[in-house]
Amino acid sequence: MNPLLQRLQPYPFERLRQLHAGVTPNPAYRPISLGIGEPKHATPALIKDALAASLAGLASYPATAGEPKLRQAMASWMQRRYGLAVDPATQILPVNGSREALFALAQTVIDPTRVGATVVSPNPFYQIYEGAALLAGADTWFAPSDPARNFAVDWAAVPDDVWARTQLLFVCSPGNPTGAVMGLDEWKLLFDLSDQHGFVIASDECYSEIYFRDEPPLGGLQAAAQLGRSDFRNLIAMTSLSKRSNVPGLRSGIVAGDAALIKPFLLYRTYHGSAMSPIVQAASIAAWDDEAHVVANRALYREKFAQVTPLLAAVMDVALPDAGFYLWAQVPARFSGDDAAFSRELLGFYNVVVLPGSYLAREARGQNPGAGRIRMALVAETAECVEAAERIVQFIQSTAKAT
Ligand SMILES: Cc1ncc(COP(=O)(O)O)c(C=O)c1O
């Protein structure tokens, strides 16, 4: 067996299942889950229609690089969204969702034979970053998010000797779970560090289309172009249709950036066998070509967050994020920072599932930056999310009275 498999940590939802085992949810309430970040808004008909219309694609093997017309549709979307000129022949590839792309990129770029191979990741973080790093034979170094700066990652906490052996840096903007969006200054800092130490930056941007400010989130490639780095050197951006278009089951995304990285990435993928089905390619073209459903989807999230956030903000420390579809809240003082106890008791008394924040982060240098927080995924319809929020309010008010 590959001994590196032993280094993998249990996935947060496995830990959640264990935490909730033995809890009997109050049967007076129907179950509501704010646990998994799986979009629940309706899949647009235009995507389903494109899928149904392209079943002839079942009869052929797809190319790993995808059809030229798909790469062109993806590049055109990046042009419209970010004002970018991305070359569809050399700087863009289709992937089966950003999850597999994040994993595969690490396998492509990391050289485990170099002493101290290191991957730097935000903390809290999407757990695939860690698994990708460990299975590529690297070690991880976690940079904490700073609640005092709207959860921006404290890159200054990373020592110089760590940067010196870093081969890959994961960034997530908009962040999961914090919703924080990186600005141009932060990008400049990271590009300077990448130039100095030669590491690759993998920019996970799968929440980019769900935002609450007027200004859409800055993309990594967009930041590079604004700073005169039009070759996107050492930078790869990833996004997907899962959240933008409510198709987590389609498994369709984009990897774009430095042509010198895209080429070996394509080679790796050819052997890995991760070509996108022709049917999914056809549906993806329809999805990237249409923006009306994305505008409508964003409006639904805005309406939902406008209703839910103030309800919860009245009883706990929580605020509207920059973007994404999570609320990242502090548990009330009576729980003494025990986010797991909060999650367990809430399920028992009110039949609502929330994810303990400590499960989304690692303890590093004596601190788990997710501890004392919970993540609430507002993916269900507004009425259900409002009902969950009302139950959480009652739960917090009743536990406050009990102490
Ligand atoms: C931060 C982050 N990155 C990537 C993904 C993977 O999404 P997909 O593979 O559907 O594009 C997720 C899914 O929840 C996520 O939260």
Side-chain angles (χ1 to χ4, degrees):
M1 291 294 278
N2 181 346
L4 295 174
L5 287 166
Q6 304 284 346
R7 299 187 69 194
L8 296 177
Q9 301 276 338
Y11 213 62
F13 293 103
E14 202 176 307
R15 294 179 68 189
L16 187 66
R17 255 192 308 279
Q18 280 167 17
L19 177 75
H20 287 169
V23 178
T24 307
N26 186 341
Y29 295 99
R30 72 190 172 95
I32 301 182
S33 177
L34 308 181
I36 295 192
E38 179 183 70
K40 295 282 182 218
H41 297 170
T43 297
L46 69 99
I47 300 180
K48 294 189 198 168
D49 292 347
L51 270 174
S54 54
L55 292 180
L58 284 173
S60 47
Y61 273 122
T64 309
E67 291 289 321
K69 62 185 179 209
L70 171 61
R71 291 201 306 275
Q72 183 57 60
M74 298 190 305
S76 299
W77 177 76
M78 297 196 102
Q79 163 74 52
R80 290 192 301 277
R81 170 65 171 82
Y82 297 113
L84 287 171
V86 177
D87 178 2
T90 59
Q91 294 180 316
I92 203 159
L93 281 178
V95 288
N96 298 316
S98 40
R99 180 179 181 141
E100 66 98 354
L102 289 158
F103 182 84
L105 185 74
Q107 315 315 309
T108 307
V109 304
I110 287 170
D111 176 359
T113 66
R114 266 168 56 198
V115 176
T118 298
V119 172
V120 173
S121 163
N123 197 20
F125 62 101
Y126 181 53
Q127 194 157 317
I128 298 304
Y129 308 160
E130 181 188 53
L134 296 174
L135 287 180
D139 287 323
T140 46
W141 206 98
F142 292 107
S145 95
D146 180 1
R149 291 186 302 120
N150 189 29
F151 303 106
V153 177
D154 184 10
W155 302 116
V158 184
D160 275 349
D161 65 306
V162 172
W163 284 129
R165 56 177 192 268
T166 296
Q167 296 188 22
L168 177 64
L169 165 67
F170 283 113
V171 300
C172 187
S173 175
N176 170 8
T178 65
V181 169
M182 286 168 49
L184 197 60
D185 289 352
E186 195 170 342
W187 276 109
K188 177 156 183 356
L189 173 88
L190 297 178
F191 291 147
D192 288 348
L193 285 162
S194 164
D195 287 347
Q196 199 181 334
H197 301 288
F199 59 76
V200 170
I201 303 176
S203 177
D204 179 357
E205 306 179 3
C206 66
Y207 294 95
S208 65
E209 304 316 292
I210 301 163
Y211 52 87
F212 303 102
R213 317 264 176 241
D214 293 338
E215 187 81 353
L218 181 68
L221 301 184
Q222 187 183 20
Q226 286 180 13
L227 294 166
R229 305 167 68 91
S230 52
D231 59 353
F232 310 127
R233 62 184 169 280
N234 268 341
L235 175 63
I236 289 287
M238 300 171 191
T239 191
S240 91
L241 291 170
S242 302
K243 280 98 172 129
R244 172 189 181 270
S245 301
N246 296 315
V247 282
L250 189 68
R251 311 314 299 133
S252 177
I254 298 178
V255 158
D258 188 345
L261 295 169
I262 293 286
K263 198 172 170 199
F265 187 58
L266 175 59
L267 176 68
Y268 176 87
R269 300 178 68 68
T270 305
Y271 281 87
H272 189 65
S274 42
M276 181 185 285
S277 155
I279 306 168
V280 174
Q281 291 193 46
S284 302
I285 292 172
W288 290 119
D289 280 352
D290 183 74
E291 209 54 36
H293 76 276
V294 185
V295 173
N297 190 36
R298 186 159 53 241
L300 283 179
Y301 280 111
R302 288 183 165 196
E303 171 60 23
K304 190 176 354 188
F305 274 71
Q307 290 193 37
V308 172
T309 315
L311 291 174
L312 292 171
V315 295
M316 65 200 310
D317 181 2
V318 67
L320 185 69
D322 293 340
F325 53 47
Y326 302 107
L327 288 175
W328 183 232
Q330 195 162 23
V331 300
R334 105 125 180 93
F335 288 88
S336 314
D338 189 344
D339 45 303
F342 182 94
S343 172
R344 254 179 88 93
E345 285 186 34
L346 177 65
L347 178 69
F349 288 117
Y350 287 97
N351 212 343
V352 174
V353 172
V354 297
L355 189 61
S358 57
Y359 292 9
L360 293 166
R362 284 283 164 261
E363 185 169 325
R365 296 163 302 284
Q367 197 216 347
N368 179 326
R373 296 195 167 270
I374 50 162
R375 189 190 79 174
M376 293 171 274
L378 301 193
V379 286
E381 298 301 333
T382 301
E384 192 165 305
C385 290
V386 167
E387 187 180 333
E390 286 167 350
R391 290 191 212 166
I392 293 171
V393 170
Q394 274 183 39
F395 171 62
I396 291 175
Q397 287 173 341
S398 63
T399 56
K401 268 184 230 131
T403 50

